[in-house]
Amino acid sequence: MADPGSKTTVLVTGGSGLVGSAIQKVYREEAGFDEGEEWVFLTSKDGDLRDPAAVRLLFEKHKPTHIIHLAAMVGGLFKNMKYKVEFWRDNVAMNDNILSLSKEYKVKKVVSCLSTCIFPDKTSYPIDETMIHDGPPHASNEGYAYAKRMVDMQNRAYHEEYGCNFTSVIPTNVFGPHDNFSIDDGHVLPGLMHKVYLARQKGEPLSVWGSGTPLRQFIFSEDLARLFVWVMRSYDSVHPIILSVGEEDEVDIKTAALTVAKAMGHEGQVVFDTTKSDGQHKKTASNRKLRELHPTFKFTPFEQAIGVTTKWFDENYAIARK
């Protein structure tokens, strides 16, 4: 990726979050990073990406040649249902600022992070990259989903009008160290880990929201980090690519909850609170495109990745986001 005789600066927004922290770990510990590259990991303390002036200052300071855009307002099902306006406005503002200034500052490549929740609620399965705009997303997270969908449209428009090399990836449900383990606002796996931690501490049953029947494809954050680096180096299409484990690795929430409980040594009862919403029953995604382009990639087994994540959470409970 580094050009001989020129400096390559990769700017990673959301650098201290779940995926950003994983990219930092991969950058520190694994080979394959060129000596001529400088990787800069931004956090919210470096500037408000919703503010065009603040983003311009970051571009002036770091002069990025490449950008991995991870920063977003994110949350679990119930936070998405409650704050649709904020999810729309904050994410649209961040995405627009990053892409418009990337065009102005002649950034060579931008890789933005989308989500499988952008796909239509009523669709056929498995979903693939061609189906993003085939119908409205699930009503529970439409603010976030529509904001993320627009990145795909912007990427194509910037490419057609200005020749910009902007693309996007669509990961399935990401989990790993440095996640947000909030029970109310976090995603399903980190929320379950926090619930197990408290249930184990109090000697109480583990209460899981919903029926336990919805299906999800979970991807370990360190696997996703390696794939982000591969996309930055080797994937040059403006069209998005799904980054996911295979359809055969889909897990129901009940199995996920029991796997977490086992990894954390919780031997008490597990109950399912069916008064709580399940959200979308499934959003099975095809990783055929990824497999065709990167056939040698190996995903971390689910139980192993759960073990790594729960160990990190147990050891870092005092400082973990929750």
Side-chain angles (χ1 to χ4, degrees), residues 96-234:
D96 188 53
N97 289 335
I98 290 294
L99 294 180
S100 63
L101 285 168
S102 292
K103 177 257 176 185
E104 181 179 333
Y105 281 77
K106 296 180 172 54
V107 173
K108 294 178 182 178
K109 187 169 185 179
V110 179
V111 181
S112 295
C113 189
L114 309 186
S115 163
T116 51
C117 76
I118 68 177
F119 285 98
D121 177 33
K122 293 178 173 54
T123 187
S124 57
Y125 294 98
I127 49 182
D128 65 36
E129 294 87 349
T130 67
M131 301 161 69
I132 294 172
H133 304 283
D134 285 356
H138 194 272
S140 64
N141 56 16
E142 60 186 348
Y144 178 79
Y146 275 118
K148 286 292 188 179
R149 267 192 195 188
M150 290 303 100
V151 173
D152 175 49
M153 183 281 295
Q154 288 174 287
N155 286 345
R156 286 184 282 107
Y158 273 108
H159 180 72
E160 291 168 12
E161 190 170 345
Y162 299 108
C164 297
N165 188 8
F166 299 166
T167 192
S168 58
V169 304
I170 309 172
T172 47
N173 294 63
V174 192
F175 72 97
H178 302 278
D179 207 339
N180 177 4
F181 294 84
S182 168
I183 292 172
D184 293 322
D185 294 336
H187 289 107
V188 58
L189 281 181
L192 281 170
M193 291 173 192
H194 195 176
K195 282 190 170 188
V196 171
Y197 184 96
L198 297 176
R200 185 186 62 190
Q201 202 173 46
K202 298 173 183 177
E204 296 177 350
L206 168 64
S207 177
V208 181
W209 288 348
S211 67
T213 58
L215 298 163
R216 296 292 182 265
Q217 287 159 292
F218 295 105
I219 181 171
F220 186 39
S221 58
E222 293 176 23
D223 290 341
L224 182 57
R226 296 179 187 101
L227 287 170
F228 256 106
V229 175
W230 169 77
V231 168
M232 178 59 78
R233 298 188 187 288
S234 304

Side-chain angles (χ1 to χ4, degrees), residues 42-75:
L42 298 178
T43 73
S44 56
K45 295 177 182 177
D46 292 301
D48 184 348
L49 299 186
R50 297 169 298 180
D51 177 2
V55 179
R56 184 175 293 277
L57 287 174
L58 290 169
F59 273 66
E60 286 289 339
K61 178 179 179 181
H62 298 291
K63 296 180 170 50
T65 57
H66 299 72
I67 293 176
I68 294 177
H69 178 38
L70 306 174
M73 179 184 178
V74 297

